[in-house]
Structures are given as structure tokens and as C-alpha cells.
Amino acid sequence: MTTATNTPPPGRAAWPPARLPGDLQLVLWLGSAPMLLACLLPWVLLRPNRLAQGEYLHLPPALAVLGGLLALATPLAGRFMPAGVPVLAPAALGLGLWWLGDRTAAAMQGQSEIARASASSGVWLWLLGAAVAVYGAGMVAARLGRWARPLPWLWLPVAAALLLSGHFSDWSVTRELSVQQARFGQELGQHVRLVLSGLGLALLIGAPLAVWASGRERVAGAVLGVANAIQTVPSLALLGLLIAPLSALSNAVPGLRELGVSGIGTAPALTALTLYALLPVLRNGVVALRGVSPGVLDAARGMGMSGAQRFWRVQLPLALPVWLSGVRQAAVLLVGVASVAQLIGAGGLGYFIFSGLQSGAGDLILLGAVPAALLAVLLDQGLRALEQVLGNALGRA
């Protein structure tokens, strides 16, 4: 009598295994360690106002024990029940967000309007560890199959529901946002305009240069060398170097001054952003265009296509996914550089960051830094998705 066994098809490992591979186990334990430590650290700093010294508040013992158990559950599930990892990791992240709103609300009970309940070290360590665990859960879900791939993203609807329901209304950053709401919308819009304008100008200048340089080795070396040299200059130094020439130019040509060109403000910021974005646009453009197979271009030539037709119908579509990778890198880079532009009066989210630094108000710093980070992530993920769509459409994914 023979017994049936679940033999995997040739070339495919059996899944789920008794436990995860060692590298995935390590990722899950690296996420668990900060969460365990977070349960012992303070979660809220309660202050009578934004600048005064405050009192550190810990999680209640029952919540600390619950957090410790959940922190251990994810890596232990990776060892004994891998299918539970894509559920437990986002649950830990969602719970951390819940506790942030719940603990700040509890701290603010009976406090005045100018009191502030800030997130302390425990919150940030828990969210860091949970984010690492979610990253590991994504790798586990990819092994489990298509049905499991959405599971690591379960924390997103939870976060959206908490945000829309006003669960974070007592968090100090939310309090600062309610006070600075009009100014926040203005500076966020200015930040987005600076990034998109700088990226657009870099594409207008860099795209033709990349096409020209892709077939000429000396030209490619020259333009990439100049772009590399610009990239080595620190952003603050570059902004400072642009003040004198742009001031002189606006004084020499009054018409430019009427258009808003001056040594401080938007003009030097936009110039610096454009220069910084040139290198990734140029480099990836040259690499992408040179990476198109000569055989494909020869086949297009054999079909009777002209040089322009080969470029627009064959070379550019095949090069576009790789080229877009450079555009994505440039966009993420500009989000950070645009924050520094506030120092020369260009506005943007850097207004809150540097105002907080000058006054010692950490909540104001977060009010500028957190949206800037989220904007960078959104741009990165949006352009990455466009790369994948184009890659799949062109058979390059």
C-alpha cells in the first residue's frame, strides 16, 4: 500500500514550509526587537505648552504586556506558522497607530488648550519595528501566493480610518496643524510647485541632452561630468552661490526683476532644483537609450524606418521604463532639496522645519518633515508603478 504525498512540481519549493528561511526570520526578529524595547519606554511627553519641559508617560502595564506578546508573535509565527505573518505584522503597525491617538487623548484629559501631548521614543521605536516587520511580511506574502499579497497592506485602511475619524486630534502635531492650517496648505502647495517645476525644467533640458549624448561618447562624458560636479556641491552651498549672480542679473535686466527673478526667493531655488535633477535624468537617459538592443534597431531599419521613426517608435518606447527610473530618483531627491529652499525665502515645507528648529519646537519640525517624507514616498511609489506598467506593456518587466 502506498501513501500519497504532497510533492511540489519540479522547480518549485514546497510551501508553506515548517519555518521560514533564515534571512526572513532575521528580518522579523529585527522588527520585533524595537517593538519589545518600545513597551518599556515612554510613549507620550505631556507639556503645558509647546516649549515647556514636560512629563513622560508610559503604557499601562496591561498594554505593555499585550504589546510585548504581539511583538514576539510575528517572528514566532514565522517559525511555526508562516501564514500568520502577513496578518500579525500589519496588525502591530495598526495597533501602534491606535495607541498613538489613544494615549495622547488620555494624556490631554483635563489639560488646557495650549498643552501638548507629543509622541515619545516608545511610539517611534514601535512604528519603526512594525514597519520592518511589515516589510518582512511582504516578502513572506510573496512566497505564500497571490492571495496573500494584499495582506501586509491591511494597516493602510486602518490608518486612513483613524485619520479620518479624528483619532489623532489630541496628538501635538495635529494640534499644530489646526493652528497653522492656512499656512500649511500654502506651504505644501509651494513645495509641490517647486518640485514639479524643477523636475519639469530638468526634463526639458536633460532629455534632449541625453538623446544627443547617447550616440556620442565624448559628449556623454562631458555632460555627465558637469552634472556629476553639480551633484557634489551641497544644496545649501549651491543656493548661496546662486544669490550673487541672480541678483546681478536682475539688476542688469529690469525686465527679469519684474518677472520675479532675484537673488532670493523662488528663482535661485528653482535653478538649484533643476541643476540637481539633471544627473539622474541624464544618466538614466543615456544608459536607457544605449541599452536598446542593436538587433532591434537593425530590424527596424530593415523594415524601412527612417532614423526619426526608429527613435520614436522603437528606441524611445523600449528605453522609457529605465529612463523613468531616473525621473523617479530625481523627484524623490527634489522633495528633500526643496525643504532647504526655505532658507533663501522660497517657502515650502521647510518653513515649518526651520521654524521648529529656531524655536526648539519638535512638533513644528514634524509638521514639515512628516508631509515631506510622505510626499517623497507617494512620488516614488507612483512613478515606480508607472515603470512597472510600461515594463509589462513592453515586455521588459
Side-chain angles (χ1 to χ4, degrees), residues 143-235:
R143 289 170 170 262
L144 285 171
R146 183 171 297 180
W147 65 270
R149 289 178 183 174
L151 294 179
W153 297 98
L154 288 175
W155 66 272
L156 271 178
V158 174
L162 293 176
L163 182 64
L164 294 175
S165 65
H167 186 68
F168 303 115
S169 59
D170 288 307
W171 182 27
S172 57
V173 176
T174 310
R175 289 283 183 106
E176 292 293 347
L177 177 59
S178 64
V179 173
Q180 305 265 2
Q181 191 168 5
R183 185 65 184 263
F184 179 81
Q186 175 186 339
E187 300 300 345
L188 176 61
Q190 175 68 359
H191 202 98
V192 172
R193 283 192 294 271
L194 285 172
V195 170
L196 295 182
S197 299
L199 185 62
L201 288 172
L203 286 172
L204 286 175
I205 298 170
L209 278 176
V211 173
W212 183 40
S214 62
R216 298 167 178 83
E217 190 63 37
R218 289 185 178 180
V219 174
V223 296
L224 289 175
V226 171
N228 268 307
I230 294 171
Q231 196 79 291
T232 60
V233 181
S235 56

Side-chain angles (χ1 to χ4, degrees), residues 44-264:
V44 176
L45 172 59
L46 179 62
R47 295 170 295 176
N49 59 63
R50 81 156 64 133
L51 301 178
Q53 296 295 321
E55 175 188 3
Y56 288 101
L57 306 176
H58 290 72
L59 286 174
L63 294 185
V65 171
L66 175 62
L69 292 175
L70 184 57
L72 289 172
T74 303
L76 291 177
R79 183 177 179 87
F80 300 108
M81 192 178 65
V85 173
V87 176
L88 290 170
L93 186 52
L95 184 62
L97 295 172
W98 169 268
W99 279 346
L100 171 60
D102 179 69
R103 292 296 88 202
T104 51
M108 287 296 291
Q109 288 182 2
Q111 301 294 325
S112 66
E113 284 296 318
I114 62 172
R116 293 291 184 267
S118 304
S120 191
S121 54
V123 173
W124 303 118
L125 266 180
W126 180 278
L127 294 180
L128 172 64
V132 173
V134 167
Y135 173 76
M139 294 190 289
V140 175
R143 289 170 170 262
L144 285 171
R146 183 171 297 180
W147 65 270
R149 289 178 183 174
L151 294 179
W153 297 98
L154 288 175
W155 66 272
L156 271 178
V158 174
L162 293 176
L163 182 64
L164 294 175
S165 65
H167 186 68
F168 303 115
S169 59
D170 288 307
W171 182 27
S172 57
V173 176
T174 310
R175 289 283 183 106
E176 292 293 347
L177 177 59
S178 64
V179 173
Q180 305 265 2
Q181 191 168 5
R183 185 65 184 263
F184 179 81
Q186 175 186 339
E187 300 300 345
L188 176 61
Q190 175 68 359
H191 202 98
V192 172
R193 283 192 294 271
L194 285 172
V195 170
L196 295 182
S197 299
L199 185 62
L201 288 172
L203 286 172
L204 286 175
I205 298 170
L209 278 176
V211 173
W212 183 40
S214 62
R216 298 167 178 83
E217 190 63 37
R218 289 185 178 180
V219 174
V223 296
L224 289 175
V226 171
N228 268 307
I230 294 171
Q231 196 79 291
T232 60
V233 181
S235 56
L236 190 56
L238 182 59
L239 290 169
L241 290 172
L242 290 171
I243 292 176
L246 286 175
S247 295
L249 186 62
S250 65
N251 290 331
V253 184
L256 291 177
R257 193 184 311 119
E258 295 176 1
L259 293 174
V261 176
S262 64
I264 60 172

